[in-house]
Amino acid sequence: MTAEVVGWDVGGANVKAVLVDRDVPIRVVERAFPLWREPERLPAILSEIADSLGGATPAMAVTMTAELADCFATKRQGVAFVLDAFEDAFPNRQICVYGVDGQFRSVDAARGQPLEVAAANWHAGATVAARTWRDALFVDVGSTTTDIVPIVDGRVAVRGTTDPARLGSGELVYTGAVRTPVSAVVRRVPLRGRRCRVASELFAVTGDVYRWLDKIAPADYTCDTPDGRGRTRMEAAARLARMVCADLEMLTADDVSSIAEHVARTQVAQIAGGMKQVMRRLGTGSPDIAVVAGRGAFLARAAATKVGLEVDDLADALGCAARMAPAAAVAQLLAERVAVGA
Amino acid sequence: MTAEVVGWDVGGANVKAVLVDRDVPIRVVERAFPLWREPERLPAILSEIADSLGGATPAMAVTMTAELADCFATKRQGVAFVLDAFEDAFPNRQICVYGVDGQFRSVDAARGQPLEVAAANWHAGATVAARTWRDALFVDVGSTTTDIVPIVDGRVAVRGTTDPARLGSGELVYTGAVRTPVSAVVRRVPLRGRRCRVASELFAVTGDVYRWLDKIAPADYTCDTPDGRGRTRMEAAARLARMVCADLEMLTADDVSSIAEHVARTQVAQIAGGMKQVMRRLGTGSPDIAVVAGRGAFLARAAATKVGLEVDDLADALGCAARMAPAAAVAQLLAERVAVGA
């Protein structure tokens, strides 16, 4: 008898799923899905992903951040919608919902506890990391957000559990390696010896910055491009040029590099700022090591180095599933309970 | 014989048009039109607006910023597209295109000078203001951008004429009273005694801030709302709550006010920052008075007061057309030349 589980991390812009057999990730799927555009398609998307993962009637371990999407008036409504989608997609399957208390609950129980199961994904990744690293800052930089979770004495030791509390404590920095608008990172960029304001428009995202700087591949650029054009470095450069209301007839490659490098430096500093805030709170008990994860692990590494921490990589423990740590982690955590119960 | 002219200011998100008879604005139209979504509709939109304005086969005075829209690869392409749309819409009409040199040219000439006619709208408004105020900072806060144009000795006395140069000099601050994403204005907001980071998402715009603070009416909120819901104060509040990843089940009205007031203060400071940069450059010759205009004139007024300037209102000279100063101004400037030529 196997203990197969699919772990789900349902975001507002991406759905990630990992099939595990006990604690071994077997297959991973990430699919861009801007939920707010056509939420009614969610059950079909879930089914398609589950089919592509295969597995012998696996149980479903669910975590989400999609409840924040602005097609929902409240988190309560968003949580209920996502849970309905799972029940629609998998009527005869065991569905277990992870919460910020580290426990799984049934769909019915989860529906009544929206603030317990909303945006609990960071807790799962950190819980799994805590088995290997008893004292560490877990820093997971995704496409959209950065989770900074202190692990002290083998336990998740956060200050807040809701998104607003975590945005205040430095444990959530709403910045990522792909989807973040450049205008949400910087107010000005250096251009030919001057500081130039940027356009407050969705002309370019951090995916363009890191495509131009060759830090990510076209396949890592998982969201739509702002202008609907492609993901080549030159197409990314044209979008970056538009941030200063220019085009590639007006700017050189050096000008574009000057813009991109400044955005990257600023973003690393913002992540480092969250880390420093968390470290200040922990005081003398603050860990010496950062465990980095996510599509933007390269940013987590740079920020950790900036604040003077040693760096380990979650990929050493999780393999390629470290890019989707929460999905892999909820799957492993549920698989263990199934195994214990069997 | 009349000297009727329609002045056009074609932006990427709005088209504004003013019919004047010599220097008297007769009718004004503003229409939200997100050009980048369906650029092919521009000629039809222009025709509909012209029909609604009426007038006896008026000449067309054109200025634009729409060339920056990201459906165009370059400004050259964008300028050509807008000019084609005017020729399509008004095949037998005189079409005169305003440039940053203060001169009108034919469509054919304009096509060959994209950097002369791109984003020249600020120049027209300031030129008309300069007749009434010989020394002033002209501060036009629109839905999307803020133009800060020094008038010295009755002449427009700018440092740069292209958008990137003006973003560097402080003469263009890419922030406005309606369309600006809140995440492009602030990184953090005060919330219950703490500083809370904001979500880098298009969850709320400045239109929501000023609806909540009762500074603008629903009709002034001329763009689509980020979540597709309505323009009531409570709907605006829900969008502002989402900026800290919360909802109206989690926040009070005081919490929302604390967020909105901070965004407003920060935006006024950013406009004031552009003004101070321009005033520093002008040195002892810097004007003592600001002439405010645009849908966000209330922001221009607050910023001018902050930097210690007296405030006059362009509406005293232009009437309601002061909300669309560039369109009214190109119309007046062309009407005068027609009259002189007649």
Side-chain angles (χ1 to χ4, degrees), chain B:
Chain B
M1 178 190 164
T2 64
E4 289 189 341
V5 174
V6 177
W8 296 88
D9 185 12
V10 182
N14 289 282
V15 178
K16 298 171 186 175
V18 176
L19 174 69
V20 305
D21 183 357
R22 298 191 192 246
D23 59 351
V24 182
I26 298 173
R27 271 189 292 281
V28 305
V29 171
E30 177 174 3
R31 179 147 164 190
F33 173 58
L35 177 78
W36 65 92
R37 286 202 203 128
E38 28 183 6
E40 68 285 356
R41 283 188 59 212
L42 182 58
I45 299 281
L46 296 177
S47 291
E48 288 168 26
I49 293 174
D51 288 348
S52 71
L53 283 170
T57 62
M60 301 298 180
V62 177
T63 184
M64 68 179 86
T65 54
E67 77 288 341
L68 185 63
D70 63 7
C71 49
F72 307 122
T74 61
K75 287 175 192 282
R76 184 182 305 277
Q77 187 190 350
V79 165
F81 183 93
V82 173
L83 296 176
D84 287 348
F86 272 94
E87 290 195 319
D88 280 7
F90 311 116
N92 302 309
R93 211 66 72 74
Q94 189 188 4
I95 301 168
C96 302
V97 188
Y98 191 78
V100 287
D101 55 1
Q103 302 300 316
F104 287 96
R105 64 267 287 150
S106 69
V107 168
D108 283 344
R111 232 185 275 275
Q113 303 174 302
L115 293 187
E116 301 289 311
V117 300
N121 60 349
W122 54 272
H123 192 283
T127 297
V128 167
R131 297 172 175 181
T132 307
W133 293 273
R134 287 188 58 81
D135 290 276
L137 272 196
F138 177 66
V139 185
D140 184 352
V141 182
S143 64
T144 307
T145 58
T146 294
D147 292 307
I148 299 170
V149 188
I151 298 167
V152 176
D153 227 3
R155 304 178 71 91
V156 170
V158 293
R159 173 151 193 155
T161 56
T162 65
D163 274 350
R166 298 173 64 237
L167 285 167
S169 69
E171 291 161 5
L172 172 58
V173 182
Y174 207 112
T175 202
V178 183
R179 285 188 62 242
T180 307
V182 167
S183 59
V185 181
V186 295
R187 297 272 166 272
R188 288 184 174 78
V189 291
L191 188 64
R192 301 184 186 173
R194 299 189 66 178
R195 278 157 47 89
C196 183
R197 289 166 181 79
V198 299
S200 302
E201 300 276 4
L202 183 52
F203 283 154
V205 292
T206 46
D208 295 309
V209 171
Y210 301 117
R211 278 297 293 136
W212 178 253
L213 297 176
D214 249 336
K215 295 287 189 182
I216 65 172
D220 292 319
Y221 194 137
T222 46
C223 63
D224 290 342
T225 61
D227 60 2
R229 294 193 175 80
R231 292 170 174 74
T232 65
R233 288 186 66 233
M234 285 313 287
E235 288 167 308
R239 288 188 285 271
L240 292 170
R242 191 169 274 114
M243 288 308 305
V244 291
C245 300
D247 60 28
L248 292 185
E249 294 185 359
M250 298 171 79
L251 298 193
T252 65
D254 281 351
D255 294 333
V256 174
S257 293
S258 156
I259 294 170
E261 284 162 7
H262 182 76
V263 176
R265 269 194 308 272
T266 305
Q267 197 177 29
V268 167
Q270 287 165 355
I271 294 168
M275 295 174 70
K276 280 189 278 191
Q277 187 178 348
V278 172
M279 291 162 71
R280 264 197 309 276
R281 173 171 70 78
L282 296 173
T284 52
S286 185
D288 304 318
I289 195 164
V291 177
V292 302
R295 192 171 292 281
F298 66 96
L299 293 170
R301 182 178 290 274
T305 304
K306 193 176 165 77
V307 301
L309 296 184
E310 296 290 311
V311 180
D312 272 1
D313 199 319
L314 186 69
D316 297 340
L318 269 189
C320 65
R323 281 207 162 181
M324 36 190 83
V330 287
Q332 290 183 357
L333 292 169
L334 185 62
E336 285 166 15
R337 305 208 189 176
V338 171
V340 168

Side-chain angles (χ1 to χ4, degrees), chain A residues 122-185:
Chain A
W122 54 272
H123 192 285
T127 297
V128 167
R131 297 174 174 180
T132 307
W133 292 273
R134 287 189 58 82
D135 290 277
L137 273 195
F138 177 64
V139 185
D140 184 351
V141 182
S143 64
T144 306
T145 59
T146 295
D147 292 308
I148 299 170
V149 188
I151 299 167
V152 176
D153 228 3
R155 302 178 74 91
V156 170
V158 294
R159 176 152 192 151
T161 56
T162 64
D163 275 350
R166 298 173 66 235
L167 285 167
S169 69
E171 291 161 5
L172 172 58
V173 183
Y174 207 114
T175 201
V178 183
R179 285 187 62 243
T180 308
V182 166
S183 60
V185 180

